[in-house]
Amino acid sequence: MTFACQITVTRLLLVPVFAVLAVYYANSIVQGDPNEAFRWWAVGVFTVAALSDFFDGYIARNFNQHSRLGEVLDPIADKALVLTAIITLSVVQWGDDWSIPIWFTVLVIARDIIIVGGAMILQFVNHKVHIDPHWTGKACTFFLLVTLGWVMLKIIPISPLYPTCVTAVFVVLSGHFYIREGIRQLQEQGHAEPKS
Protein backbone atom coordinates (compact mmCIF):
# COMPACT_ATOMS: atom_id res chain seq x y z
CA MET A 1 0.00 0.00 0.00
CA THR A 2 1.40 3.39 -1.01
CA PHE A 3 1.98 6.19 1.50
CA ALA A 4 -0.77 8.22 -0.21
CA CYS A 5 -3.20 5.33 0.38
CA GLN A 6 -2.14 5.09 4.01
CA ILE A 7 -3.05 8.76 4.46
CA THR A 8 -6.45 8.10 2.86
CA VAL A 9 -7.07 5.13 5.17
CA THR A 10 -6.10 7.30 8.14
CA ARG A 11 -8.72 9.84 7.01
CA LEU A 12 -11.33 7.08 6.98
CA LEU A 13 -10.32 6.03 10.50
CA LEU A 14 -10.62 9.61 11.75
CA VAL A 15 -14.27 9.83 10.67
CA PRO A 16 -15.73 7.82 13.60
CA VAL A 17 -13.32 9.57 15.99
CA PHE A 18 -14.77 12.92 14.94
CA ALA A 19 -18.35 11.63 15.30
CA VAL A 20 -17.72 10.31 18.83
CA LEU A 21 -16.10 13.56 19.97
CA ALA A 22 -18.96 15.60 18.45
CA VAL A 23 -21.57 13.50 20.25
CA TYR A 24 -19.67 13.71 23.55
CA TYR A 25 -19.60 17.49 23.25
CA ALA A 26 -23.33 17.59 22.49
CA ASN A 27 -24.05 15.36 25.48
CA SER A 28 -22.04 17.65 27.75
CA ILE A 29 -24.24 20.56 26.58
CA VAL A 30 -27.40 18.57 27.35
CA GLN A 31 -26.06 17.85 30.84
CA GLY A 32 -25.60 21.59 31.40
CA ASP A 33 -21.80 21.50 31.59
CA PRO A 34 -20.38 22.08 28.07
CA ASN A 35 -16.95 20.46 27.77
CA GLU A 36 -15.21 22.69 25.24
CA ALA A 37 -12.26 20.30 25.10
CA PHE A 38 -14.46 17.78 23.27
CA ARG A 39 -15.50 20.46 20.75
CA TRP A 40 -11.93 21.56 20.03
CA TRP A 41 -10.76 17.96 19.72
CA ALA A 42 -13.59 17.32 17.25
CA VAL A 43 -12.65 20.45 15.28
CA GLY A 44 -8.99 19.39 15.31
CA VAL A 45 -9.73 15.85 14.11
CA PHE A 46 -12.01 17.17 11.35
CA THR A 47 -9.36 19.69 10.26
CA VAL A 48 -6.60 17.07 10.13
CA ALA A 49 -8.84 14.72 8.16
CA ALA A 50 -9.84 17.47 5.71
CA LEU A 51 -6.23 18.57 5.19
CA SER A 52 -5.15 14.98 4.61
CA ASP A 53 -7.23 15.05 1.42
CA PHE A 54 -4.86 17.66 0.02
CA PHE A 55 -1.73 15.80 1.13
CA ASP A 56 -2.64 12.36 -0.21
CA GLY A 57 -3.51 13.91 -3.58
CA TYR A 58 -0.28 15.92 -3.64
CA ILE A 59 1.83 12.87 -2.79
CA ALA A 60 0.03 10.68 -5.33
CA ARG A 61 0.54 13.25 -8.12
CA ASN A 62 4.12 14.27 -7.38
CA PHE A 63 5.67 11.02 -6.16
CA ASN A 64 4.18 8.55 -8.64
CA GLN A 65 1.92 6.93 -6.06
CA HIS A 66 -1.28 6.68 -8.08
CA SER A 67 -3.03 3.40 -7.44
CA ARG A 68 -6.39 1.84 -8.22
CA LEU A 69 -7.01 1.39 -4.49
CA GLY A 70 -6.37 5.10 -3.93
CA GLU A 71 -8.78 6.05 -6.72
CA VAL A 72 -11.51 4.03 -5.00
CA LEU A 73 -10.75 4.93 -1.38
CA ASP A 74 -10.18 8.69 -1.80
CA PRO A 75 -13.74 9.69 -2.82
CA ILE A 76 -15.17 7.25 -0.26
CA ALA A 77 -13.09 8.87 2.49
CA ASP A 78 -14.10 12.36 1.35
CA LYS A 79 -17.81 11.55 1.29
CA ALA A 80 -17.62 9.67 4.58
CA LEU A 81 -16.02 12.65 6.32
CA VAL A 82 -18.38 15.32 4.99
CA LEU A 83 -21.58 13.27 5.28
CA THR A 84 -20.71 12.08 8.79
CA ALA A 85 -20.08 15.67 9.87
CA ILE A 86 -23.32 16.93 8.29
CA ILE A 87 -25.44 14.11 9.71
CA THR A 88 -23.85 14.35 13.17
CA LEU A 89 -24.25 18.12 13.37
CA SER A 90 -27.87 17.86 12.25
CA VAL A 91 -28.94 15.34 14.90
CA VAL A 92 -27.01 16.75 17.87
CA GLN A 93 -27.09 20.28 19.26
CA TRP A 94 -23.84 22.18 19.67
CA GLY A 95 -25.69 24.91 21.55
CA ASP A 96 -28.81 27.00 20.99
CA ASP A 97 -29.48 27.18 17.24
CA TRP A 98 -26.04 25.70 16.48
CA SER A 99 -26.94 22.75 14.34
CA ILE A 100 -27.46 21.97 10.67
CA PRO A 101 -31.12 21.80 9.58
CA ILE A 102 -32.42 18.32 8.80
CA TRP A 103 -33.80 19.49 5.43
CA PHE A 104 -30.26 20.43 4.38
CA THR A 105 -28.89 17.02 5.38
CA VAL A 106 -31.64 15.30 3.37
CA LEU A 107 -30.83 17.54 0.37
CA VAL A 108 -27.11 16.70 0.46
CA ILE A 109 -27.75 12.96 0.87
CA ALA A 110 -30.32 12.98 -1.95
CA ARG A 111 -27.83 14.73 -4.26
CA ASP A 112 -25.14 12.16 -3.52
CA ILE A 113 -27.54 9.24 -4.02
CA ILE A 114 -28.57 10.68 -7.40
CA ILE A 115 -24.94 11.18 -8.46
CA VAL A 116 -23.85 7.69 -7.37
CA GLY A 117 -26.96 6.12 -8.91
CA GLY A 118 -26.35 8.01 -12.15
CA ALA A 119 -22.73 6.88 -12.25
CA MET A 120 -23.84 3.28 -11.79
CA ILE A 121 -26.34 3.63 -14.64
CA LEU A 122 -23.67 5.12 -16.91
CA GLN A 123 -21.28 2.31 -16.03
CA PHE A 124 -23.93 -0.34 -16.69
CA VAL A 125 -25.22 1.16 -19.96
CA ASN A 126 -22.14 2.87 -21.44
CA HIS A 127 -19.53 0.64 -19.74
CA LYS A 128 -17.64 3.82 -18.77
CA VAL A 129 -18.06 6.90 -16.59
CA HIS A 130 -16.11 10.07 -17.26
CA ILE A 131 -17.36 13.33 -15.80
CA ASP A 132 -14.86 16.12 -15.35
CA PRO A 133 -15.08 18.20 -12.17
CA HIS A 134 -17.27 21.27 -12.60
CA TRP A 135 -16.97 24.62 -10.82
CA THR A 136 -20.38 24.11 -9.19
CA GLY A 137 -19.13 20.91 -7.56
CA LYS A 138 -16.00 22.63 -6.28
CA ALA A 139 -18.06 25.57 -5.00
CA CYS A 140 -20.44 23.11 -3.32
CA THR A 141 -17.55 21.41 -1.50
CA PHE A 142 -16.11 24.78 -0.45
CA PHE A 143 -19.42 26.03 0.96
CA LEU A 144 -20.08 22.69 2.67
CA LEU A 145 -16.80 23.11 4.55
CA VAL A 146 -17.66 26.75 5.34
CA THR A 147 -21.03 25.68 6.76
CA LEU A 148 -19.47 22.92 8.85
CA GLY A 149 -16.78 25.29 10.11
CA TRP A 150 -19.43 27.90 10.95
CA VAL A 151 -21.27 25.41 13.17
CA MET A 152 -18.21 23.80 14.75
CA LEU A 153 -16.18 26.94 15.50
CA LYS A 154 -19.12 29.06 16.75
CA ILE A 155 -17.02 32.20 16.28
CA ILE A 156 -19.46 34.24 14.20
CA PRO A 157 -22.54 35.07 16.33
CA ILE A 158 -24.95 34.60 13.42
CA SER A 159 -27.17 31.56 12.87
CA PRO A 160 -25.61 28.89 10.61
CA LEU A 161 -28.89 28.90 8.71
CA TYR A 162 -27.51 31.66 6.45
CA PRO A 163 -24.43 29.83 5.11
CA THR A 164 -26.55 26.67 4.97
CA CYS A 165 -29.00 28.33 2.56
CA VAL A 166 -26.14 29.58 0.35
CA THR A 167 -24.62 26.10 0.32
CA ALA A 168 -27.99 24.56 -0.55
CA VAL A 169 -28.05 26.63 -3.76
CA PHE A 170 -24.72 25.11 -4.85
CA VAL A 171 -25.83 21.62 -3.81
CA VAL A 172 -28.79 21.95 -6.20
CA LEU A 173 -26.72 23.57 -8.98
CA SER A 174 -24.01 20.91 -8.85
CA GLY A 175 -26.59 18.14 -8.75
CA HIS A 176 -28.30 19.66 -11.81
CA PHE A 177 -24.98 19.78 -13.69
CA TYR A 178 -24.14 16.14 -12.99
CA ILE A 179 -27.63 14.98 -13.98
CA ARG A 180 -27.46 16.98 -17.22
CA GLU A 181 -23.98 15.63 -17.97
CA GLY A 182 -25.11 12.06 -17.37
CA ILE A 183 -28.08 12.48 -19.71
CA ARG A 184 -25.77 13.99 -22.34
CA GLN A 185 -23.47 10.96 -22.22
CA LEU A 186 -26.42 8.59 -22.53
CA GLN A 187 -27.70 10.53 -25.53
CA GLU A 188 -24.28 10.51 -27.21
CA GLN A 189 -24.30 6.73 -27.12
CA GLY A 190 -27.89 6.59 -28.35
CA HIS A 191 -29.17 4.98 -25.16
CA ALA A 192 -31.77 7.69 -24.55
CA GLU A 193 -33.53 7.07 -27.86
CA PRO A 194 -36.34 4.57 -28.42
CA LYS A 195 -35.30 1.24 -29.89
CA SER A 196 -36.09 0.88 -33.59
Side-chain angles (χ1 to χ4, degrees):
M1 183 183 292
T2 66
F3 183 53
C5 273
Q6 290 175 14
I7 294 175
T8 306
V9 170
T10 301
R11 181 158 74 258
L12 270 171
L13 295 175
L14 288 176
V15 171
V17 175
F18 162 79
V20 168
L21 290 168
V23 170
Y24 276 157
Y25 175 63
N27 286 342
S28 73
I29 291 176
V30 172
Q31 293 167 4
D33 184 24
N35 187 334
E36 292 297 316
F38 281 133
R39 179 166 73 94
W40 286 111
W41 273 108
V43 170
V45 168
F46 183 86
T47 302
V48 169
L51 289 175
S52 73
D53 184 33
F54 166 78
F55 288 113
D56 63 9
Y58 177 84
I59 290 170
R61 285 190 305 272
N62 294 282
F63 295 93
N64 194 28
Q65 293 200 8
H66 279 288
S67 67
R68 181 64 185 145
L69 179 62
E71 289 176 2
V72 172
L73 286 181
D74 188 62
I76 291 174
D78 293 346
K79 287 297 179 189
L81 177 64
V82 173
L83 286 178
T84 298
I86 291 172
I87 292 169
T88 302
L89 295 177
S90 67
V91 298
V92 301
Q93 289 284 334
W94 272 34
D96 294 336
D97 297 324
W98 285 98
S99 64
I100 291 175
I102 291 292
W103 63 262
F104 178 76
T105 303
V106 172
L107 180 67
V108 172
I109 292 173
R111 169 191 173 269
D112 286 348
I113 289 174
I114 289 169
I115 290 173
V116 171
M120 291 172 66
I121 290 170
L122 283 173
Q123 182 63 43
F124 178 75
V125 175
N126 285 358
H127 305 294
K128 63 178 180 179
V129 180
H130 179 74
I131 298 179
D132 292 322
H134 192 255
W135 71 267
T136 55
K138 294 178 181 179
C140 179
T141 301
F142 171 77
F143 282 108
L144 279 171
L145 294 176
V146 167
T147 301
L148 290 170
W150 198 296
V151 173
M152 289 189 286
L153 294 174
K154 300 201 295 188
I155 293 173
I156 303 173
I158 301 173
S159 171
L161 180 62
Y162 297 101
T164 299
C165 289
V166 173
T167 306
V169 171
F170 286 98
V171 170
V172 172
L173 284 175
S174 62
H176 173 73
F177 166 77
Y178 288 117
I179 290 171
R180 193 179 64 193
E181 178 62 19
I183 291 172
R184 184 190 66 77
Q185 290 189 29
L186 287 172
Q187 289 174 335
E188 277 187 353
Q189 300 296 320
H191 297 300
E193 303 299 328
K195 288 185 176 181
S196 54

